Amino acid sequence: MFGISNTKVIFMLAAVVVASADVVVEDGSYVDAEPPIPYAFSYAAGRFPGHVDRTHSETRDEYGVIRGTFSYVDPRNQVRTVDYVADKQGFHPVLSKVAPSVTDTPAVAAAKALHLARWEKIAAEHARIAAERALLSKNNVNDDYQ
């Protein structure tokens, strides 16, 4: 109709779509064509309901700088927290190695003392029962050989 074939129209449309992509290659590097969209999220999770053993929160500002923090329980059962910033210069994590000091309240201290006393009583009872069984077992063995 205008001297343009269908193939040329499709090729020109494809070129327009490629030119309007979000990422443009300039000298082998990537440059965002549109400004970053700010966002924020956070979550807490655990291995079973009611138990939280990891958290994560993150935000990105209008300049594309991402700031966040995450915490987890390490194999030594210590809570580790990592604060980080990701910007044009890279990813910059900072690990918090200082465990928070925990002091028992008087109620917790009393509960621990009561628990320990009950545990010691049960352990003594189990030791007594084990000794009686060992004595009975020894006497039964001796009775069999007489």
Side-chain angles (χ1 to χ4, degrees), residues 14-29:
V16 170
V17 170
V18 170
S20 66
D22 288 341
V23 178
V24 177
V25 179
E26 287 182 359
D27 300 330
S29 63

Side-chain angles (χ1 to χ4, degrees), residues 110-122:
K112 283 182 175 180
L114 180 60
H115 175 79
L116 180 61
R118 288 179 177 171
W119 183 88
E120 287 172 344
K121 181 180 176 184
I122 291 168

Side-chain angles (χ1 to χ4, degrees), residues 19 34 48 51-52 73 76 82 86 89 91 93 108 110 118 130 134 138:
E34 296 183 15
F48 52 88
H51 174 73
V52 174
V73 178
R76 294 187 197 121
V82 178
Q89 285 73 43
F91 182 73
V108 170
R118 288 179 177 171
K138 183 179 178 183

Side-chain angles (χ1 to χ4, degrees), residues 6 9 21 34 40 101 146:
N6 288 342
V9 171
E34 296 183 15
S101 64
Q146 291 178 1

Side-chain angles (χ1 to χ4, degrees), residues 70-89:
F70 63 90
S71 297
Y72 61 95
V73 178
D74 74 5
R76 294 187 197 121
N77 214 20
Q78 299 291 317
V79 175
R80 299 294 182 201
T81 301
V82 178
D83 296 312
Y84 61 90
V85 175
D87 55 19
K88 291 181 180 180
Q89 285 73 43

